[in-house]
Amino acid sequence: MLDRPTSQSAWQARARSLVVEGRAFVDGAYADATSGRTFERVSPVDGRVIAAVADCEAADVDRAVAAARRAFEAGVWRDLPPVARKTVMLRFAALIRDNLDELALLETLDTGKVIGNSLAVDVPFCADCVQYYAELADKLFDEVAPVGPKDLAILRREPLGVVAAIVPWNYPLIITAWKIAPALVAGNSVVLKPAEQSPLSAILLGRLALEAGIPAGVFNVVPGFGTKAGKPLALHPGVDMVTFTGSTEVGKLMLRYAADSNMKRVSLECGGKSPHVVLPDADLDAAASGIAWGIFYNQGETCHAGSRVLVHRSVHKALVEKIIAVQREQIPLGDPLDPAAGMGALIEDTHMERVLGYVEIGRAEGATVACGGARARTETGGYYVEATILDDARGDMRVAQEEIFGPVLVVIPFDTEAEAIRLANQSIYGLAAAMWTRDMAAAHRCSAAIKAGTVWINCFDKSSLATPFGGFKQSGFGRDRSPHAVEKYTDIKTIWTAYR
Ligand code: NAD
């Protein structure tokens, strides 16, 4: 095994020698798209092409779904004793850990996220998630319903069959693991459609799953550009469920596709515009740290990024100064291959332009640019935007309503707690929120009133595989993580026996 690079130049050298697999993974083997077509994957780090990726479309989706169905009906996975599925999944988690450097490098080159985070967070969290659900495999009990002394009604949880996982580009490994691990542990077959901007780590997972002992056909990966693979997959009559993470706009399409095809189950994790509420008695240093990390980590390309700060007018200016200081000292923008970098590149040029466009929209709407606001590191050929704060905003501005999905924080001052709650809920989204205050009565009063899937109090983005994650309102429904996540990959069958 190669030593782990420890410097920017060593990671750059490793990147140059990396051999990247771009083919689909179907029925236990790598395969070109049926058409033979590929699309270029351009790295946001420097604008260079890093891979030719199989451009799968309907014919490839048909092959993958057929393989998944065959494997499911043959029972090669679902009929294994749970403890055997556990052993295989534990091996899968171990192989992910064994391939830490390669997976982390692929993730960084594909998405522009900094290598330090890929190594310390993305790959380990993916492995941890696979392990968490592996360990659950032989701890899931069915139920017996209370129907009386002469009958036995068993409520049996059964796998659905073929699950399509359609995932976004911002945390490819983590979100993929949140979907595939509980789906597989429940006994389903899976067809994974990674985002066209970040297919490379998913493609490697295909080989690792097979190596771990997941039988051919049980786990398939079909990359495809735009909607070419995703749409036929979501419309496919042979798919029993779509588990989706992505934008609210495309999430709504998933509901339509389900209705237009076979009424497949749909689970949606969609967009967010998460608010921080900072009351006047808050520990401002802690709040500034939580807020800066909550928006600038992963360049703000996080669904639950704390992208709106609602702050009491009395502490407004002091808080903004502290947030700027935390970003400058602790989360510097740099080369994603530099272990010292805190923020990296945005996913693609069009997204960078979109984010910069929002800065202009904010200015035109009357917000003040307190820091950043411009493209950075242009000479690299990559897609970088400075950490940006749009201050003195109002709740009804577009920049306060729409998901920017970049390193842009919108700050809105308020005068009363009631106003803060109204502003927090003035959104179509309801993914997450945070309260910053020393007054626990106020913290709990407000967290009860805020419509969000997670409310953090005096912290931000604390997470555990034991806690469900997902949204209220148009942030979606269905939860990833925790034992609850397995339920949605199963149906309940009632088996009623009369034995008098
Ligand atoms: P997106 O909705 O554009 O794409 C998500 C996935 O759907 C990709 O694989 C894409 O190729 C596919 N897709 C796009 N159009 C499709 C169609 N018509 N039919 C079938 N598949 C289609 O989202 P994105 O830009 O990749 O990711 C960013 C979005 O994801 C943001 O809105 C973010 O908030 C959201 N997100 C949500 C969560 C969460 O847990 N709630 C987590 C991460 C990201």
Side-chain angles (χ1 to χ4, degrees), residues 145-227:
V147 291
K150 294 291 171 81
D151 293 277
L152 174 64
I154 299 170
L155 310 188
R156 224 168 86 94
R157 287 221 165 250
E158 298 193 348
L160 297 171
V162 177
V163 172
I166 301 182
V167 297
W169 45 259
N170 58 337
Y171 292 94
L173 279 169
I174 294 177
I175 292 171
T176 291
W178 287 1
K179 309 287 188 202
I180 68 170
L184 287 171
V185 146
N188 298 284
S189 296
V190 173
V191 179
L192 169 66
K193 210 297 284 175
E196 61 271 25
Q197 298 90 341
S198 63
L200 302 180
S201 57
I203 290 172
L204 178 51
L205 284 185
R207 174 166 67 76
L208 300 182
L210 188 75
E211 257 175 63
I214 294 179
V218 172
F219 178 57
N220 308 275
V221 185
V222 285
F225 198 79
T227 61

Side-chain angles (χ1 to χ4, degrees), residues 166-171 175 178 193-197 224-227 229-232 234 244-251 253-254 257 268-272 302-304 403 405 429 431 469-471 475 480:
I166 301 182
V167 297
W169 45 259
N170 58 337
Y171 292 94
I175 292 171
W178 287 1
K193 210 297 284 175
E196 61 271 25
Q197 298 90 341
F225 198 79
T227 61
K231 187 172 175 185
F244 172 84
T245 294
S247 60
T248 292
E249 188 189 346
V250 178
L253 288 179
M254 296 295 147
Y257 295 154
L268 300 175
E269 297 284 0
C270 298
T302 302
C303 50
H304 59 275
E403 191 181 36
F405 221 56
Y429 300 114
L431 193 50
F469 179 79
S475 290
D480 288 327

Side-chain angles (χ1 to χ4, degrees), residues 138-338:
D138 57 353
K139 296 165 193 72
L140 297 167
F141 289 82
D142 290 331
E143 295 171 58
V144 175
V147 291
K150 294 291 171 81
D151 293 277
L152 174 64
I154 299 170
L155 310 188
R156 224 168 86 94
R157 287 221 165 250
E158 298 193 348
L160 297 171
V162 177
V163 172
I166 301 182
V167 297
W169 45 259
N170 58 337
Y171 292 94
L173 279 169
I174 294 177
I175 292 171
T176 291
W178 287 1
K179 309 287 188 202
I180 68 170
L184 287 171
V185 146
N188 298 284
S189 296
V190 173
V191 179
L192 169 66
K193 210 297 284 175
E196 61 271 25
Q197 298 90 341
S198 63
L200 302 180
S201 57
I203 290 172
L204 178 51
L205 284 185
R207 174 166 67 76
L208 300 182
L210 188 75
E211 257 175 63
I214 294 179
V218 172
F219 178 57
N220 308 275
V221 185
V222 285
F225 198 79
T227 61
K228 279 186 195 166
K231 187 172 175 185
L233 184 60
L235 278 167
H236 205 290
V239 169
D240 299 289
M241 179 192 184
V242 172
T243 177
F244 172 84
T245 294
S247 60
T248 292
E249 188 189 346
V250 178
K252 289 180 181 176
L253 288 179
M254 296 295 147
L255 295 171
R256 209 163 282 153
Y257 295 154
D260 289 345
S261 54
N262 58 342
M263 212 197 271
K264 52 177 66 69
R265 276 89 177 119
V266 177
S267 162
L268 300 175
E269 297 284 0
C270 298
K273 192 78 186 176
S274 302
H276 289 270
V277 177
V278 185
L279 297 185
D281 69 333
D283 175 341
L284 284 194
D285 289 316
S289 174
I291 292 166
W293 282 99
I295 183 68
F296 299 127
Y297 184 87
N298 212 48
Q299 315 70 245
E301 293 171 323
T302 302
C303 50
H304 59 275
S307 50
R308 292 186 292 154
V309 170
L310 316 176
V311 54
H312 192 268
R313 208 173 293 279
S314 63
V315 292
H316 168 202
K317 290 298 168 193
L319 180 72
V320 170
E321 275 172 31
K322 285 176 188 288
I323 297 169
I324 294 172
V326 172
Q327 187 276 321
R328 293 205 172 130
E329 286 157 26
Q330 301 177 29
I331 326 170
L333 179 65
D335 178 357
L337 290 173
D338 181 352

Side-chain angles (χ1 to χ4, degrees), residues 333-366:
L333 179 65
D335 178 357
L337 290 173
D338 181 352
M343 283 169 56
L346 296 184
I347 190 74
E348 55 189 353
D349 50 356
T350 49
H351 184 55
M352 175 186 69
E353 295 302 342
R354 189 175 161 274
V355 170
L356 291 170
Y358 270 112
V359 176
E360 292 320 308
I361 291 169
R363 270 192 234 269
E365 288 180 309

